[in-house]
Amino acid sequence: MALPLLAAPAGVTAVRAVPDTAPEGAPSVWRPGATAQPVADIGRPFPALGATSMVLPRTVPRPAIVPRAQWRADETKRDPRAHYAEGVRAVFIHHTDTPNGYDCANVPRTLRNLYTGQIRDRSWGDLGYNFLVDKCGTIYEGRAGGADRPVVGSHTLGFNQGTAGIAAIGTFGTGASVPAAMEHAIAALAAWKLGLSGIDAAGKVRLTSTNGKSRYAKGTSAEFDAISGHRDGFATNCPGDALLARLPAIRKLAAGLQGRPPRTPSGAPLTTSPGNGHRDSR
């Protein structure tokens, strides 16, 4: 059963903020009592009158997401501020590097342990990942701030702004098996999240590095798959060779959920020639 969308806390609104010590200088932050911007417009830019194109959401059903309250996140531990980007243009896939032999009923305990570790040991102020997915296909809300909003996480150094981090719970190095239920949940989540900004889940996007410790110098623009692996932006083995090898299939499934046309091996959309029903890959 799908859970209701998370609402903003009473008296809390979205505003522009000056640069601060948030992850990589997040461009916006909720502050009580500030002048509000329309939440529905964030991440969904519309052109001025007379423009010839516009970015529209790609309607995809919101998958069921277990909220933080249900896995009993201790909200007194985290940074009370939530930082926001203009929208989500890409997702980075991670693994948690934790054992695979877990019982899905015990995942909330694993989340609480990750939460404590990332606040205490890494000083991230909250869970770094925006979402986590277990081997049974259950999706959990990670970082606080609203699952439907472009919350800036701490998951891919240099590319946290304008992206979402999705972590597969487990370790997916060479020889590991990636459960089908997990793959489908990741694809459904990515399709929905990218669709809010009209991003093709099987397409390419350009992102600009905000930190020279990433794979790219600060200020460098680079092209990424809209669904990329952590190692594409940072020098790491994450999300593991096995999960990385499944990303093409996840992209294809996510794009299909968005209603996108199939693509050729080069990434170009397949088209249908009028009158014959055959696909034309020219």
Side-chain angles (χ1 to χ4, degrees):
M1 178 179 68
L3 296 167
L5 290 174
L6 298 179
V12 174
T13 52
V15 301
R16 283 290 191 186
V18 296
D20 57 17
T21 57
E24 301 178 28
S28 61
V29 59
W30 268 351
R31 295 188 190 280
T35 302
Q37 294 175 338
V39 171
D41 290 343
I42 292 178
R44 302 181 186 185
F46 285 81
L49 291 175
T52 58
S53 64
M54 60 184 358
V55 177
L56 293 173
R58 194 79 175 192
T59 303
V60 176
R62 181 187 193 268
I65 301 171
V66 177
R68 289 168 62 92
Q70 195 164 327
W71 58 264
R72 301 199 305 279
D74 183 349
E75 303 296 0
T76 66
K77 292 181 177 180
R78 66 173 175 85
D79 185 337
R81 302 172 300 172
H83 300 266
Y84 297 92
E86 294 291 329
V88 170
R89 302 186 60 243
V91 298
F92 282 98
I93 306 301
H94 306 257
H95 67 175
T96 57
D97 202 21
T98 51
N100 291 341
Y102 58 87
D103 185 327
C104 289
N106 294 328
V107 166
R109 180 187 303 168
T110 298
L111 298 184
R112 292 192 296 273
N113 290 338
L114 288 168
Y115 179 44
T116 298
Q118 292 183 2
I119 291 175
R120 182 190 61 204
D121 303 332
R122 300 190 180 186
S123 301
W124 286 350
D126 197 349
L127 268 173
Y129 316 117
N130 298 93
F131 303 95
L132 300 97
V133 180
D134 71 17
K135 64 184 179 181
C136 296
T138 302
I139 301 169
Y140 293 86
E141 179 187 16
R143 200 171 189 88
D148 59 326
R149 304 200 60 203
V151 179
V152 177
S154 297
H155 53 86
T156 305
L157 188 65
F159 298 100
N160 287 320
Q161 292 187 31
T163 68
I166 301 175
I169 299 174
T171 301
F172 298 98
T174 302
S177 175
V178 182
M182 174 179 278
E183 283 190 26
H184 281 75
I186 291 172
L189 177 59
W192 167 70
K193 196 66 180 175
L194 292 171
L196 295 176
S197 298
I199 301 296
D200 184 346
K204 303 281 188 179
V205 298
R206 293 200 71 82
L207 304 174
T208 300
S209 174
T210 61
N211 193 303
K213 293 182 180 180
S214 74
R215 283 193 177 275
Y216 300 89
K218 183 177 179 179
T220 301
S221 174
E223 186 176 72
F224 291 86
D225 289 302
I227 300 177
S228 287
H230 185 186
R231 69 176 67 175
D232 293 322
F234 185 75
T236 176
N237 289 326
C238 183
D241 290 344
L243 183 51
L244 192 74
R246 297 303 302 162
L247 293 190
I250 289 172
R251 292 182 196 112
K252 181 179 179 180
L253 178 56
L257 292 171
Q258 290 183 335
R260 307 279 183 180
R263 290 176 171 266
T264 66
S266 66
L270 287 167
T271 58
T272 302
S273 299
N276 59 19
H278 293 295
R279 288 175 177 166
D280 182 354
S281 60
R282 291 177 293 177

